[in-house]
Amino acid sequence: MNDTTHGIRIRPGGPADAPAVLGMLDGAVAWMNARGNTEQWGTTPYSQKPGGVERVDRYLTENSPYVAELDGIPVGAMVLDSGPSPQMPIAPAGEPERYVRLLVSDRRHAGLGVGAALLAHAADETRRAGLDLLRVDCWAGGGGELVAFYERNGFTRTDAFLSDTWPGQVLARRL
């Protein structure tokens, strides 16, 4: 796939993208921490969390990963699956769906619409699969800024949940 939006090219991802994805995740943790957010993903770089590297490897081999590039440089990543993580307390949709299991962008390219372009691609992939339901879950703390991001991109709040003390929100988009 060679979708291009605002100069951002989205292509299928794979195992070779693991270092770039881990770098984006580590950068996201550092960016959140610098702004006082230690609750969403903690303070340990993602690549140093127990199971973090293995999780990224699974995402890139067992799911449908996509990488956003700008001038050939990875600036975002997304992973689609057929449902939420079984480790999360999220009810099944009750119908076939595509589920955004990971969405991350390189904070050095914030404001360029990388996340929005990846979500638009997720909607296209969902339609191509003959489905009309796209869901995602996210952290609902910090004043709900992440929830608002998904709402600006066409999602609607469905179920709130707690994973231990971590507040989460499931959002859905009908296509």
Side-chain angles (χ1 to χ4, degrees), residues 17-36:
D17 295 305
V21 173
L22 285 166
M24 285 183 248
L25 289 166
D26 285 351
V29 171
W31 178 81
M32 285 185 258
N33 288 183
R35 282 152 186 71

Side-chain angles (χ1 to χ4, degrees), residues 49-90:
K49 290 183 181 192
V53 172
E54 294 81 7
R55 182 174 302 112
V56 168
D57 286 341
R58 277 194 315 276
Y59 279 160
L60 296 173
T61 58
E62 298 174 10
N63 302 110
S64 298
Y66 297 92
V67 173
E69 294 181 332
L70 189 59
D71 298 325
I73 298 168
V75 295
M78 173 184 66
V79 174
L80 291 179
D81 200 353
S82 59
S85 168
Q87 285 77 41
M88 296 299 281
I90 298 170

Side-chain angles (χ1 to χ4, degrees), residues 19 25 47-48 51 85 104 122 124 130:
L25 289 166
S47 62
Q48 296 176 20
S85 168
V104 64
D124 291 343

